[in-house]
Amino acid sequence: MRLSARVDYALRAAAELAAASGGPVTAEQLARAQAIPGKFLENILTQLRRAGLIRSQRGPVGGYWLAQPAEDISMADVIRAVDGPLANVRGERPEHVGYEGAARSLQQVWIALRASERSILESVTLADVASGKLPESVRSLAEDPGAWAS
């Protein structure tokens, strides 16, 4: 799985918003906290706002905040907001891609890959990331990545 810089930055900014408790956070504060290029971050924040994941307010006391509790926003939600579907093949859902001959079973591999990604990314919320308290299944896999393949 390859994550774009856009996804990485979006998840880092969203985690900062989840950790914030004192009102709106400015784009400049987010950029500084996570070393994200400002102009790039502004585009990401616009995408997150359009997806309904964050809200914003202009003015001297303005900034950004999560539109819903951090416990209700998964990593998958953020990724979909800035990068589209979790796993696609040449821009298509795996169910809509067909192969012939020796490559016929690739479609099943792509479907299984998407299901595996979803099982992790939909179970981890911004609250989990911000608090460092990841679900046990994720912690176990991170501690022993080879165990899953056994």
Side-chain angles (χ1 to χ4, degrees), residues 37-88:
K39 200 65 174 162
F40 201 22
L41 178 61
E42 287 179 27
N43 291 332
I44 290 167
L45 293 171
T46 297
Q47 288 179 297
L48 294 174
R49 188 176 48 75
R50 287 183 181 153
L53 297 179
I54 66 172
R55 293 199 175 127
S56 64
Q57 176 179 319
R58 293 181 180 178
V61 293
Y64 297 88
W65 64 93
L66 296 178
Q68 49 194 299
E71 297 82 19
D72 296 340
I73 302 174
S74 72
M75 289 182 62
D77 294 329
V78 175
I79 293 170
R80 287 183 187 113
V82 298
D83 231 20
L86 292 180
N88 62 54

Side-chain angles (χ1 to χ4, degrees), residues 94-107:
E95 294 86 355
H96 298 138
V97 176
Y99 299 97
E100 299 298 325
R104 184 178 303 261
S105 62
L106 279 177
Q107 180 186 40

Side-chain angles (χ1 to χ4, degrees), residues 110-127:
W110 304 148
I111 293 169
L113 174 66
R114 184 186 60 196
S116 179
E117 286 179 358
R118 287 173 69 176
S119 71
I120 293 172
L121 297 174
E122 290 180 351
S123 71
V124 180
T125 68
L126 293 180

Side-chain angles (χ1 to χ4, degrees), residues 132-145:
K133 296 177 182 171
L134 299 174
E136 176 59 34
S137 60
V138 174
R139 282 187 286 127
S140 295
L141 187 57
E143 290 169 6
D144 188 8

